[in-house]
Amino acid sequence: MKINNVYIYAAEQISIQNPLSEQWMDTPLFYEDSLVKAVNPPFRDYLAPNEARRMGNLMKRALVTSIKVLKETGIDHPDAIITGTSIGSLDYTERFLDDLLENGEEALSPTYFMQSTHNTVGSALGIYTKTHGYNTTYSHGEISFDAALFDAWMQLQLDAISNALVSGHDEMIESFFELLRKTGYVGLDGMVPCGEVAMSMIIGKEKRVDSLCEISGIRLSYKPSLENFKSILYEMLHDADISYSDISAVMTGVNGNPQNDSRYAKIINSLMHDKPLFHYKHLFGENYTSSALGLYTAANLLSKQEVPSFIYDSSSPCECKSLNNIILLNMTNGGECSIIILKRICY
């Protein structure tokens, strides 16, 4: 299948690392707490105070990261706005429900209700950028961002759009964190902290000199067997005109939870045991939309052509001699699996 080239023009993050920067590559922040809130930038530098005071953190982070990538790329009105979020504006949802209980379902403030739905972020981005094109939100658990990216990828392949603002956003509140801790999703001994995610990027078909990297392929699968996974991977490599020997490294979502990590180990040990292994969740934490930061991390590694030592898995069989192609794996609790191939841009 002939595929159109798709490039990441710019990507920005607000997370538990220093926001809107790549300082994590030189001076990463490490935490011992089980729950770590995102490090917010000075929102007043990007949003008018009268606007920001009516917004929750999730909304402000989504707007700021999106505003920054739009400014960096010079794109005022993207052809599509596609958002991935698993739990949406969780903070405002809790506040709305608390108000219902405290006020007997009377005299409620509309603000919390209006911003409690999952598609509020995508709607706000459309209003703020005055974009009237394709706008949709994916709420598919841990595969939410991957589904959003796959949608944008397919539309670019069909020539339905020329560029898209694709983003992944999720926050965390203490009460929900405690519920997740009880299920064993986060908070176990030896696990990375639970964090918060806001990552926005612009992708498009035009090859720019300042692009971070190329997205050479993306596929989603449900509970693939080893044989099925291998078939999908080699089909993607063939379509992208990449051989297995050209794969520089594999980036996984290992987080210190044995149940989670065993899924990756099964694939790696059977099919890609000879490749260097990269990780990112020890830097950015675990979250339903953390795969957005995995893509952000891999794209920056390819763009800057450097791999800090703390990115490598401690059991990695070797180090990268050259960084040309990275495979990004996201395997979820529910059995969903995404495979993304990123390629260095050569001029």
Side-chain angles (χ1 to χ4, degrees):
M1 180 183 74
K2 175 67 172 66
I3 62 174
N4 292 324
N5 295 331
V6 176
Y7 304 96
I8 300 178
Y9 297 157
E12 292 289 348
Q13 58 81 23
I14 295 175
S15 66
I16 65 176
Q17 294 295 324
N18 287 314
L20 307 177
S21 77
E22 287 79 53
Q23 291 183 28
W24 56 269
M25 294 191 71
D26 301 313
T27 54
L29 302 175
F30 293 105
Y31 302 89
E32 295 183 0
D33 296 334
S34 296
L35 171 62
V36 181
K37 296 286 188 171
V39 181
N40 289 325
F43 291 125
R44 63 181 177 274
D45 292 350
Y46 303 90
L47 303 170
N50 62 322
E51 294 177 331
R53 68 182 180 86
R54 293 193 295 269
M55 298 179 187
N57 277 325
L58 184 78
M59 182 74 74
K60 288 186 283 190
R61 294 166 187 161
L63 280 173
V64 168
T65 52
S66 298
I67 289 169
K68 199 159 189 306
V69 294
L70 289 168
K71 185 177 181 179
E72 289 173 9
T73 57
I75 296 174
D76 296 323
H77 310 291
D79 292 348
I81 296 175
I82 308 177
T83 310
T85 178
S86 177
I87 50 182
S89 302
L90 194 60
D91 181 29
Y92 272 30
T93 299
E94 183 181 56
R95 295 188 191 194
F96 171 64
L97 295 174
D98 286 343
D99 275 1
L100 280 176
L101 292 173
E102 292 173 7
N103 297 292
E105 302 183 19
E106 297 179 358
L108 300 177
S109 168
T111 302
Y112 295 152
F113 172 72
M114 289 189 297
Q115 292 194 37
S116 66
T117 59
H118 286 64
N119 60 357
T120 303
V121 170
S123 301
L125 292 173
I127 293 170
Y128 202 91
T129 61
K130 297 180 174 59
T131 298
H132 308 293
Y134 182 80
N135 191 322
T136 193
T137 298
Y138 286 87
S139 298
H140 292 19
E142 296 168 277
I143 211 81
S144 297
F145 171 75
D146 310 68
L149 180 62
F150 186 66
D151 185 349
W153 162 268
M154 289 301 298
Q155 295 208 51
L156 287 164
Q157 296 307 312
L158 295 169
D159 294 319
I161 58 175
S162 296
N163 58 65
L165 170 62
V166 184
S167 57
H169 309 283
D170 268 315
E171 61 185 354
M172 186 57 60
I173 57 177
E174 284 77 5
S175 58
F176 193 64
F177 169 76
E178 289 303 323
L179 293 175
L180 292 179
R181 187 205 292 269
K182 291 178 181 178
T183 68
Y185 180 72
V186 292
L188 298 180
D189 291 340
M191 271 196 71
V192 301
C194 179
E196 297 184 302
V197 177
M199 196 286 290
S200 299
M201 66 181 186
I202 299 290
I203 66 174
K205 294 188 294 184
E206 178 188 350
K207 187 176 183 179
R208 297 186 173 193
V209 294
D210 56 349
S211 298
L212 296 179
C213 68
E214 178 184 334
I215 304 176
S216 295
I218 174 172
R219 288 283 296 273
L220 307 183
S221 181
Y222 180 67
K223 293 185 177 180
S225 64
L226 280 175
E227 205 52 46
N228 191 17
F229 181 95
K230 183 177 180 180
S231 175
I232 293 171
L233 175 62
Y234 275 82
E235 181 181 336
M236 293 175 67
L237 292 172
H238 177 268
D239 290 342
D241 195 24
I242 299 172
S243 67
Y244 177 78
S245 60
D246 292 330
I247 298 172
S248 303
V250 181
M251 178 167 281
T252 72
V254 166
N255 65 9
N257 184 331
Q259 183 179 359
N260 171 79
D261 296 354
S262 63
R263 292 191 289 269
Y264 293 102
K266 183 179 179 181
I267 295 291
I268 297 298
N269 294 337
S270 300
L271 301 176
M272 292 180 283
H273 55 86
D274 57 335
K275 299 297 181 182
L277 301 180
F278 295 166
H279 296 323
Y280 63 92
K281 288 185 178 179
H282 63 302
L283 295 173
F284 295 101
E286 180 60 275
N287 193 285
Y288 284 113
T289 323
S290 57
S291 60
L293 292 172
L295 182 68
Y296 162 86
T297 302
N300 275 282
L301 297 180
L302 284 167
S303 174
K304 301 183 187 310
Q305 283 296 292
E306 58 180 278
V307 184
S309 59
F310 49 79
I311 292 292
Y312 284 96
D313 183 285
S314 58
S315 63
S316 184
C318 52
E319 293 188 0
C320 276
K321 295 181 179 178
S322 62
L323 197 59
N324 295 312
N325 303 287
I326 297 178
I327 292 179
L328 178 63
L329 297 183
N330 180 29
M331 308 188 74
T332 75
N333 264 340
E336 297 88 358
C337 171
S338 79
I339 310 171
I340 302 172
I341 302 177
L342 299 182
K343 184 178 183 179
R344 176 189 179 186
I345 300 175
C346 297
Y347 297 97

